[in-house]
Amino acid sequence: MKIGRAAEIAGISVRTLRHYDQIGLLHPDVGAAGYRSYGDGEMETLWRILFFRELGFPLGQIKKMLHEPAAAQKEALRGQRGLLTEKKEHLEKILTDIDRILEKGFEVNMVKTFDVSALEEHKKQYAKEAAERYGETYRQAQERTAHYGQEDWQRVMEESQNIFDSLAGCMQRGPDAPETLYWVGKWQEYITRRFYSCTPEILRGLGELYVSDGRFTRNIDKTHPGLAAFLKQAIDAYCDKPHSP
Amino acid sequence: MKIGRAAEIAGISVRTLRHYDQIGLLHPDVGAAGYRSYGDGEMETLWRILFFRELGFPLGQIKKMLHEPAAAQKEALRGQRGLLTEKKEHLEKILTDIDRILEKGFEVNMVKTFDVSALEEHKKQYAKEAAERYGETYRQAQERTAHYGQEDWQRVMEESQNIFDSLAGCMQRGPDAPETLYWVGKWQEYITRRFYSCTPEILRGLGELYVSDGRFTRNIDKTHPGLAAFLKQAIDAYCDKPHSP
DNA sequence: GAGACATTTACGGCGCGTAAGGGTAA
DNA sequence: ATTACCCTTACGCGCCGTAAATGTCT
């Protein structure tokens, strides 16, 4: 079978078949004139290649998987499942953002500053069980913010801006200065009042997020460059002191 | 502000900023020495660029959107929402496939041959309301196949293979030969018995899917090249005759 | 003059689509 | 000789990471 017919049967393009030959994914027999020839064996392999491709595997990995036993392939499937799940969750988060913007206006985007959902995401890398503990907190925030109107968001953001301004004013005093710690307390109180019960543990998680996740860092550093890093240190200092509730 | 500092504050790489300059997305001022200089205005623009980037917009589109009014931007957001929703649904479908394979084994993949969920997907392009009508059918199939074990699937696939073999044998007689129509009827009956009530309308939809969606075409043409196209014609002939139930 | 910054040019990676230019089979 | 295939080579897309070679500020 020549390449055109093989492509037609497989429902893919000739270019694709040549590409697979080039990257060593599927080498057909080659006749005297240089024509590629696909037999039953090649079509069977091609079939499996396209099968994995539909499941979202990159071609490089398919190349490795082809000659592995079924058990190893299932293992790869589990890995793939994890990857795709992450992608899906990421998309869901973006979709939530878009919906919120369409409903409440562009300004509401600052919500990210206290978004625990990203906290789950981040924590997964360190402690897997931690991820689920924030589920309830997340729902709490979702419920409460659902009732907020445009004006509420306006106020919410003013408040956070005030605290950030104050914290920025403390940056020379150091992250463990009494005044700094006072404003960290205010921040914790603000989140608790406006969104969800912000425990020291969650607060610490948010602090880490502020420096490790660009989206948060940007939001905080926007008006006061360097504040995110400072705030993280201040939060750590605050949580290490015995006076947190 | 020089490029390094700007990148640091924005939480992105220097390379990214230069890239944005190169593609005309964000032109900073340039000093005598060729150094790029980012002022408040540029940082504000950059901020908005990154905002849209987080929402999954391609840079090219961001470039256009930047100078549009908020209303047009919201319109773009709605479009983006649609795109991302499709991507998400695609991922969900793959995830379903993977789960089914992990549970029932690789062989079950042939299920696609009568997967109405893809039918929804396809119909969307032609008639939007049609999409929802298949929701119930889909759930029906989900429920019934949930109880199938490995052996059940074995039999299910043997049955479909038999019908396909018979249909392939009819290919010379033409798509409207009595024998062909008989086996089309068998196919409809088979789907109804095994998965969901297959109305002529759904059957017709499946027929179109067999030639328009590569995944289906491949599954059918695998053993009998050309059968997919033939089956579509036969289904059309069958549904045009008054003898369908 | 050393070191930390800045500059430019350019390849690579993914999965092919899409020419451009030319050989082969029936 | 035409037509319908086949071949190779190579650019392009999207978004930068990662050199490499060189200039500028303090």
Side-chain angles (χ1 to χ4, degrees), chain B residues 2-5 15 18 34-36:
Chain B
K2 286 183 291 185
I3 198 170
R5 182 81 182 121
R15 174 70 178 89
R18 284 201 265 254
Y35 281 24
R36 278 167 257 253

Side-chain angles (χ1 to χ4, degrees), chain B residues 26 28 58 115 145 199 212:
Chain B
L26 177 61
D115 184 357
T145 56
T199 67
S212 70

Side-chain angles (χ1 to χ4, degrees), chain A residues 6 10 12 32 38 50 58 75 78 80 131 157 162 164 175 192 200 213:
Chain A
I12 59 179
Y38 295 83
L50 297 176
E75 186 49 38
R78 267 180 281 271
Q80 182 69 354
M157 288 186 301
N162 281 340
F164 282 173
T192 300
D213 188 317

Side-chain angles (χ1 to χ4, degrees), chain A residues 153-198:
Chain A
W153 283 113
Q154 197 76 29
R155 262 188 308 245
V156 163
M157 288 186 301
E158 277 169 19
E159 287 179 50
S160 68
Q161 195 55 53
N162 281 340
I163 300 179
F164 282 173
D165 288 346
S166 304
L167 276 164
C170 298
M171 284 178 70
Q172 299 112 315
R173 301 177 199 270
D176 51 357
E179 198 184 334
T180 305
L181 298 182
Y182 169 79
W183 285 108
V184 173
K186 279 286 180 190
W187 180 238
Q188 181 186 27
E189 180 268 332
Y190 159 76
I191 295 177
T192 300
R193 182 163 40 81
R194 285 302 200 174
F195 302 97
Y196 48 81
S197 177
C198 184

Side-chain angles (χ1 to χ4, degrees), chain B:
Chain B
M1 211 160 38
K2 286 183 291 185
I3 198 170
R5 182 81 182 121
E8 192 186 342
I9 292 179
I12 59 181
S13 75
V14 171
R15 174 70 178 89
T16 299
L17 279 175
R18 284 201 265 254
H19 181 61
Y20 291 174
D21 186 4
Q22 202 172 5
I23 66 175
L25 190 52
L26 177 61
H27 285 310
D29 295 337
V30 180
Y35 281 24
R36 278 167 257 253
S37 170
Y38 294 83
D40 284 357
E42 282 80 14
M43 290 312 281
E44 184 59 36
T45 304
L46 177 55
W47 167 258
R48 269 181 292 162
I49 290 172
L50 297 176
F51 167 73
F52 286 122
R53 191 184 70 164
E54 276 168 18
L55 294 179
F57 284 94
L59 297 183
Q61 203 184 335
I62 295 179
K63 189 174 170 182
K64 296 177 206 157
M65 292 170 56
L66 276 180
H67 304 296
E68 285 176 353
Q73 292 181 347
K74 284 206 176 185
E75 187 48 40
L77 270 182
R78 267 181 282 271
Q80 181 72 353
R81 212 194 95 95
L83 280 179
L84 297 181
T85 304
E86 278 181 27
K87 279 192 192 175
K88 198 197 78 175
E89 285 170 357
H90 183 217
L91 281 179
E92 279 169 352
K93 239 163 253 161
I94 296 182
L95 282 170
T96 311
D97 282 354
I98 291 183
D99 285 342
R100 196 172 42 214
I101 292 169
L102 285 176
E103 202 181 339
K104 318 262 187 181
F106 280 102
E107 306 77 12
V108 189
N109 180 248
M110 207 181 148
V111 179
K112 285 187 185 136
T113 319
F114 27 75
D115 184 357
V116 269
S117 72
L119 200 148
E120 301 177 43
E121 188 181 2
H122 177 247
K123 280 289 175 186
K124 262 183 209 164
Q125 302 171 352
Y126 300 95
K128 206 150 188 189
E129 357 76 76
E132 280 142 32
R133 274 188 292 174
Y134 300 109
E136 182 50 37
T137 304
Y138 179 54
R139 275 185 289 279
Q140 230 178 88
Q142 287 288 77
E143 272 181 37
R144 294 176 59 178
T145 56
H147 307 303
Y148 288 13
Q150 292 236 8
E151 294 162 18
D152 295 311
W153 283 113
Q154 197 76 28
R155 263 188 308 247
V156 163
M157 288 187 299
E158 276 168 20
E159 286 179 49
S160 69
Q161 194 55 52
N162 281 339
I163 300 179
F164 282 173
D165 288 346
S166 305
L167 277 165
C170 299
M171 284 178 70
Q172 298 112 317
R173 301 176 198 272
D176 52 357
E179 198 185 333
T180 305
L181 298 183
Y182 170 79
W183 284 109
V184 173
K186 279 287 181 189
W187 180 237
Q188 181 185 29
E189 181 268 329
Y190 160 77
I191 295 177
T192 300
R193 184 162 39 79
R194 286 302 202 174
F195 302 98
Y196 49 80
S197 176
C198 185
T199 67
E201 192 192 5
I202 291 181
L203 186 62
R204 222 188 262 271
L206 286 175
E208 220 181 300
L209 212 54
Y210 293 164
V211 298
S212 70
D213 189 317
R215 299 172 302 173
F216 289 80
T217 317
R218 266 199 292 283
N219 263 293
I220 299 172
D221 279 12
K222 190 188 179 210
T223 46
H224 307 285
L227 179 56
F230 176 77
L231 181 51
K232 185 237 186 301
Q233 289 180 22
I235 284 175
D236 282 343
Y238 178 87
C239 293
D240 288 341
K241 298 271 175 188
H243 76 317
S244 49

